[in-house]
């Protein structure tokens, strides 16, 4: 892991940009002399680690006493996309503008994104846990499709906060039964791109015996800020 920049932000959080092979990432850490727990934070459907909402959540979590890491997976953020990726995304935009069904297109887009992202997140986790200011345990926060696969594959993740706003491939809806860590699931009741009943069915499928559903009125981007604070309290219970 090679750190390429370091900035002290006005809330006291230290933001470090890093590269790990071809993987670019950001690590936010609090002002703490002791090692702190780690939260892996991913934006829905592979949007960049620099997305404003993700950065705001990451800084808030770091100020609350966590190391928070995010990466740009292959084909996301500034990383190049293949011609096939671009073709699928172009078709998705066309279908959405035309009001056509898009589940089949999402299946062909999200599945490969998750498949490619999980090994890179696990490699990143290996490197992060070698840093002296990170002591574990580890949580995951963000994109549901990636979170399901990563939590099932990675025994070091002790708790997960998932946002129900992204498409989850059919195979992973079944895979959700293998998720057994404590879970906080956020649902926007009027999410334009995620039918409410599908999100409720997914919540029901999770295999963990400790799962909490928070539902709020509003569309995809309307999650209240207090849910970030509640998320910190959830992680406090399970990671500290």
């Amino acid at each position: 892991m090679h750190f390429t920049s370091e900035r002290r932000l006005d809330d006291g959080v230290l933001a470090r940009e890093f590269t790990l092979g071809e993987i670019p990432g950001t690590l936010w850490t609090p002002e703490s002399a002791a090692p702190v727990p780690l939260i892996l934070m991913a934006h829905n459907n592979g949007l960049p680690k620099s997305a404003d909402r993700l950065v705001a959540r990451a800084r808030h979590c770091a100020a609350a006493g966590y190391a928070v890491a995010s990466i740009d997976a292959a084909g996301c953020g500034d990383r190049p996309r293949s011609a096939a990726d671009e073709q699928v995304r172009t078709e998705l935009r066309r279908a959405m503008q035309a009001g056509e069904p898009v589940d089949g297109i999402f299946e062909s887009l999200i599945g490969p994104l998750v498949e490619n992202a999980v090994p890179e997140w696990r490699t990143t986790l290996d490197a992060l846990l070698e840093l002296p200011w990170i002591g574990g345990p580890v949580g995951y926060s963000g994109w549901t499709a990636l979170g399901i696969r990563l939590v099932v594959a990675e025994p070091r993740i002790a708790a997960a906060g998932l946002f129900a706003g992204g498409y989850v491939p059919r195979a992973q809806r079944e895979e959700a039964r293998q998720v057994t860590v404590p879970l906080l699931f956020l649902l926007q009741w009027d999410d334009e791109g995620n039918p409410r009943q599908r999100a409720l069915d997914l919540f029901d499928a999770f295999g963990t015996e400790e799962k909490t559903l928070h539902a709020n009125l509003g569309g995809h981007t309307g999650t209240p800020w207090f849910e970030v604070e509640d998320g910190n309290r959830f992680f406090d219970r399970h990671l500290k």
Side-chain angles (χ1 to χ4, degrees):
M1 177 173 284
H2 174 63
F3 289 100
T4 58
S5 70
E6 181 176 299
R7 292 178 297 133
R8 177 74 62 180
L9 305 177
D10 55 13
D11 50 7
V13 170
L14 189 64
R16 299 178 177 92
E17 300 296 321
F18 66 83
T19 58
L20 184 62
E22 297 181 354
I23 306 169
T26 306
L27 175 65
W28 296 266
T29 53
E31 292 182 305
S32 173
V36 295
L38 171 66
I39 295 176
L40 306 178
M41 189 170 287
H43 209 306
N44 273 15
N45 296 347
L47 291 175
K49 62 183 177 62
S50 59
D52 290 344
R53 282 179 290 158
L54 185 146
V55 171
R57 286 167 45 218
R59 289 181 59 174
H60 191 272
C61 290
Y66 293 94
V68 183
S70 185
I71 64 172
D72 280 338
C76 303
D78 294 329
R79 297 181 69 178
R81 295 175 180 169
S82 68
D85 288 340
E86 291 291 359
Q87 182 177 352
V88 172
R89 291 173 187 272
T90 298
E91 176 59 19
L92 177 62
R93 287 191 292 269
R94 185 206 63 76
M96 292 180 71
Q97 290 170 358
E100 297 173 1
V102 294
D103 278 11
I105 302 173
F106 269 124
E107 286 284 336
S108 63
L109 174 65
I110 303 304
L113 271 179
V114 170
E115 200 69 35
N116 293 330
V118 167
E120 293 196 339
W121 275 99
R122 297 187 75 185
T123 297
T124 303
L125 178 57
D126 289 341
L128 289 168
L129 290 179
E130 293 180 357
L131 299 174
W133 54 86
I134 296 177
V138 181
Y140 173 88
S141 175
W143 180 20
T144 296
L146 173 62
I148 291 171
R149 178 65 54 82
L150 190 57
V151 167
V152 170
E154 184 47 74
R156 291 173 290 184
I157 295 177
L162 304 179
F163 176 57
Y167 183 83
V168 176
R170 284 185 290 271
Q172 288 189 266
R173 297 174 209 169
E174 193 62 32
E175 191 176 21
R177 302 185 190 282
Q178 301 176 48
V179 173
T180 58
V181 300
L183 175 69
L184 175 63
F185 197 54
L186 300 184
L187 170 62
Q188 284 302 102
W189 204 241
D190 309 298
D191 196 317
E192 312 82 20
N194 188 36
R196 183 185 307 162
Q197 190 58 53
R198 185 163 66 193
L200 294 173
D201 290 344
L202 179 62
F203 177 75
D204 189 54
F206 285 116
T208 179
E209 295 183 357
E210 185 174 344
K211 54 184 175 182
T212 301
L213 173 68
H214 285 190
N216 291 282
L217 295 178
H220 182 78
T221 60
T223 305
W225 181 255
F226 64 71
E227 290 292 0
V228 177
E229 298 168 344
D230 283 349
N232 284 351
R233 286 190 283 272
F234 166 78
F235 285 120
D236 286 348
R237 291 195 299 272
H238 299 292
L239 303 184
K240 288 186 175 180

